[in-house]
Amino acid sequence: MKSLSSNKEMKQMVGIKAADLIKDGMKVGIGTGSTVTFLIEELGLRIKDGLNIQGAPTSYGTKLLCVKHGIPVIDSMQLNHLDLTIDGADEIDPYLNAIKGGGAAHSVEKVIASMADEFILIADESKLVDSLCTKFPLPVEVIPAALSYAEQQIRQLGGTPVLRSALRKDGPVVTENGNFVLDISFDNAPKDLELLNNKLLNIPGLLETGLFLGIAKKALIAYQDTVKLIVPRT
Ligand code: 5RP
């Protein structure tokens, strides 16, 4: 689905920079993916130097990395508020709307993003697009019983759904919630993302979309030799 080694230096630069946003005593939502992995590694170093935080991971992968790097983990099941959540993205538009779910973790990622006072995206410049759904297909999580019906309904909305296949397992990706992921491509970028999101969420059995609309108010973006703070276009 995506190359974990692509733009490694830029991902590392922005992951390390993002650690500066995390202050002593904070409860922090920690996203999923290769960019966030660099943040987790940096936080592990800072915790050894005395930083005192708790992290709410968005996936098993992130939970395992937090444990490996000594970040105290809190379970989102026991939480309704976080100080800050930091996460990667697959596409980011000028309004900081984003597509997420390249790691099939977008349902929990959206919960953890939504309960935070502040949600900050971290990415390299390759993720910036003028319009969403142009380079990266839109992931949606679907309960297995609804697979065929959801595919039909998505086609009626003008999208082409593809069931995501696992890489080192036969058959489909099964999410941490026991569901499938459909990656939807569109011939033309959808103009009304809110409408599209609502129509998708209205499909019975479709649990969550990878559209993160209006949630991020800041993004840290890595370019070849610098990291810039971006705010939504007004
Ligand atoms: C996982 C995600 C990731 O944040 C997104 O795919 C970006 O990943 P990476 O930092 O590896 O490019 O949404 O569900």
Side-chain angles (χ1 to χ4, degrees):
M1 181 89 230
K2 60 182 179 180
S3 162
L4 291 187
S5 61
S6 61
N7 302 331
K8 182 168 177 262
E9 286 75 20
M10 284 193 277
K11 288 179 179 199
Q12 184 166 25
M13 203 163 51
V14 72
I16 291 173
K17 186 80 180 162
D20 292 344
L21 302 168
I22 298 176
K23 309 292 180 206
D24 221 41
M26 276 188 170
K27 284 187 179 162
V28 186
I30 304 183
T32 295
S34 53
T35 315
V36 167
T37 297
F38 290 114
L39 167 66
I40 295 170
E41 288 172 1
E42 180 65 17
L43 287 175
L45 297 175
R46 294 186 188 199
I47 283 171
K48 280 199 187 99
D49 283 345
L51 179 70
N52 171 32
I53 59 161
Q54 290 177 294
T58 48
S59 63
Y60 289 145
T62 294
K63 187 174 188 175
L64 289 168
L65 281 169
C66 285
V67 170
K68 178 176 171 193
H69 292 282
I71 300 173
V73 165
I74 29 173
D75 190 333
S76 70
M77 224 177 358
Q78 297 161 322
L79 288 173
N80 53 32
H81 171 256
L82 289 163
D83 298 301
L84 169 67
T85 291
I86 300 179
D87 204 344
D90 301 301
E91 282 189 348
I92 303 173
D93 77 6
Y95 305 96
L96 303 191
N97 296 318
I99 286 184
K100 291 187 44 56
H106 53 281
S107 300
V108 176
E109 287 175 332
K110 204 180 274 190
V111 173
I112 301 270
S114 301
M115 71 167 81
D117 287 342
E118 196 169 30
F119 175 52
I120 300 181
L121 293 166
I122 55 172
D124 64 82
E125 60 172 331
S126 72
K127 305 294 181 66
L128 297 177
V129 293
D130 289 334
S131 309
L132 295 186
C133 306
T134 44
K135 283 161 86 174
F136 198 88
L138 171 62
V140 294
E141 182 166 356
V142 174
I143 66 170
L147 178 63
S148 194
Y149 179 63
E151 286 175 329
Q152 178 218 45
Q153 294 292 300
I154 289 165
R155 282 195 199 93
Q156 285 185 9
L157 295 176
T160 304
V162 173
L163 180 62
R164 192 180 297 181
S165 294
L167 279 184
R168 298 198 59 199
K169 163 193 170 291
D170 288 336
V173 164
V174 178
T175 70
E176 280 134 338
N177 311 305
N179 298 317
F180 296 155
V181 173
L182 291 171
D183 290 306
I184 310 173
S185 49
F186 296 89
D187 286 341
N188 300 304
K191 289 204 167 42
D192 190 337
L193 294 170
E194 287 284 354
L195 185 65
L196 173 66
N197 198 40
N198 290 337
K199 284 186 172 172
L200 288 168
L201 290 172
N202 268 339
I203 299 173
L206 193 151
L207 176 68
E208 190 52 271
T209 79
L211 282 171
F212 282 51
L213 305 178
I215 308 180
K217 299 289 180 270
K218 286 178 194 162
L220 281 179
I221 304 296
Y223 296 83
Q224 284 300 335
D225 49 12
T226 186
V227 173
K228 289 187 187 163
L229 180 72
I230 313 269
V231 295
R233 181 186 287 170
T234 48

